[in-house]
Amino acid sequence: MTDATSTSSSTGKSRATKTIAVGVIAVAAVLASALAGPAGSAAAAGGYDYSPGEPMIMNNGGTIDGGYDQVCSGGYAISGDSGFFLLGANCATVTAFQVRNNQGVFANYLASPASLRDGSSALYEMVPGDDAHQMVADPLTGEQPGDGRIVGFMPTVQQRPGMLVGKMGVGTGWTEGAITGVVGDLLCTTMEVAPGDLGGPVWRLDENGLRALGTIRGRDSSGHGCYRPIQETLYEYGANLPVFGPDQGRPTWGTWAPGMPYLGGTTSAGRAFTITIPTRADWTP
């Protein structure tokens, strides 16, 4: 394929499964390797090992009295002067100060950006002893695009109309589609999305490797996925993206690709775009 997110001619999906023992690198090692060149393998420090696209259960996030919890998808790990943090969606009915999975709490709410241009995102700080890997895998099947390793991010201006992109999320797993145009501050696509996918990573695999494009922020009037380009999110937080490749630094505000159509209308997202589960219940695909 000359314009595709994956290399398989039959299913479009790699059968490589994400494991802790194979192809995993801790964020601390990613930060070091970003200065030295391509990253190698390293074991995590211990505890929970997070990857973009995995479930984020908003602990006691549904109501003040704990009537239910809400599940959305985790985004990329980003780093700044204060360390590294997980990028997630502000998807709970009330602020969830703890994020958990089926094994327990793995991160704490830190902040949302001061700017309202990306007000639906939030930063989470990992519990000591846990770690994160800049690798994407389908949370429903474990399948990965290529080897799953993010080697960089694609500037917004390069994300052109008709380009094929993919996403991971706990609602629909791995889906792919083409960029159709701009609605508000989001790029919309033909990708399938559903409740639970909010916050999940958007990516593209091509001759330049597997690169981060953004994170799911909602859906358009047709029900297809729309995402916030990662360049603008990094700018909002004054952060960079740790990757298995050269460090691209902290980007400036981006611009849309030439010829990108403005579609008009609005997108739906927010707290209704989540999966609701009983308080303290496990998430199951």
Side-chain angles (χ1 to χ4, degrees):
M1 295 182 183
T2 58
D3 188 21
T5 55
S6 56
T7 57
S8 171
S9 60
S10 57
T11 64
K13 297 184 179 182
S14 166
R15 292 293 174 180
T17 301
K18 185 179 77 68
T19 66
I20 299 304
V22 179
V24 170
I25 183 163
V27 165
V30 174
L31 289 171
S33 66
L35 300 178
S41 296
Y48 175 58
D49 297 287
Y50 168 89
S51 292
E54 294 183 357
M56 281 188 166
I57 304 174
M58 304 290 113
N59 209 27
N60 197 24
T63 61
I64 294 175
D65 62 0
Y68 55 89
D69 289 342
Q70 288 168 289
V71 186
C72 53
S73 301
Y76 294 104
I78 65 176
S79 65
D81 293 337
S82 301
F84 82 87
F85 307 94
L86 305 181
L87 182 65
N90 189 9
C91 65
T93 303
V94 296
T95 300
F97 291 99
Q98 293 181 321
V99 175
R100 65 178 175 85
N101 57 18
N102 293 351
Q103 288 73 49
V105 173
F106 67 87
N108 297 304
Y109 172 81
L110 185 66
S112 292
S115 169
L116 296 179
R117 289 181 294 188
D118 199 16
S120 61
S121 71
L123 287 185
Y124 297 90
E125 186 173 24
M126 297 202 79
V127 172
D130 291 344
D131 213 335
H133 312 121
Q134 209 74 290
M135 301 177 68
V136 293
D138 185 337
L140 306 184
T141 67
E143 294 175 318
Q144 296 174 306
D147 65 3
R149 298 183 178 203
I150 297 294
V151 299
F153 70 86
M154 181 182 289
T156 304
V157 71
Q158 296 179 16
Q159 300 181 36
R160 64 186 186 274
M163 175 179 283
L164 296 178
V165 301
K167 79 98 182 69
M168 303 298 185
V170 301
T172 55
W174 174 341
T175 63
E176 300 181 0
I179 295 174
T180 55
V182 174
V183 176
D185 285 338
L186 305 181
L187 280 176
C188 290
T189 72
T190 60
M191 289 188 296
E192 178 189 359
V193 293
D197 289 332
L198 187 65
V202 179
W203 45 268
R204 175 177 165 83
L205 176 62
D206 57 21
E207 66 275 8
N208 295 306
L210 183 61
R211 289 185 289 173
L213 274 64
T215 49
I216 293 292
R217 287 289 182 265
R219 49 188 169 184
D220 63 15
S221 58
S222 299
H224 296 121
C226 301
Y227 67 94
R228 175 73 160 180
I230 191 67
Q231 179 175 347
E232 281 67 50
T233 300
L234 293 173
Y235 173 81
E236 294 277 17
Y237 284 111
N240 69 293
L241 187 75
V243 295
F244 290 85
D247 183 10
Q248 293 175 259
R250 299 179 182 182
T252 59
W253 188 260
T255 59
W256 302 123
M260 181 67 70
Y262 287 82
L263 302 177
T266 60
T267 60
S268 59
R271 295 162 176 85
F273 200 33
T274 64
I275 296 171
T276 299
I277 61 174
T279 304
R280 293 182 294 278
D282 287 347
W283 170 79
T284 55

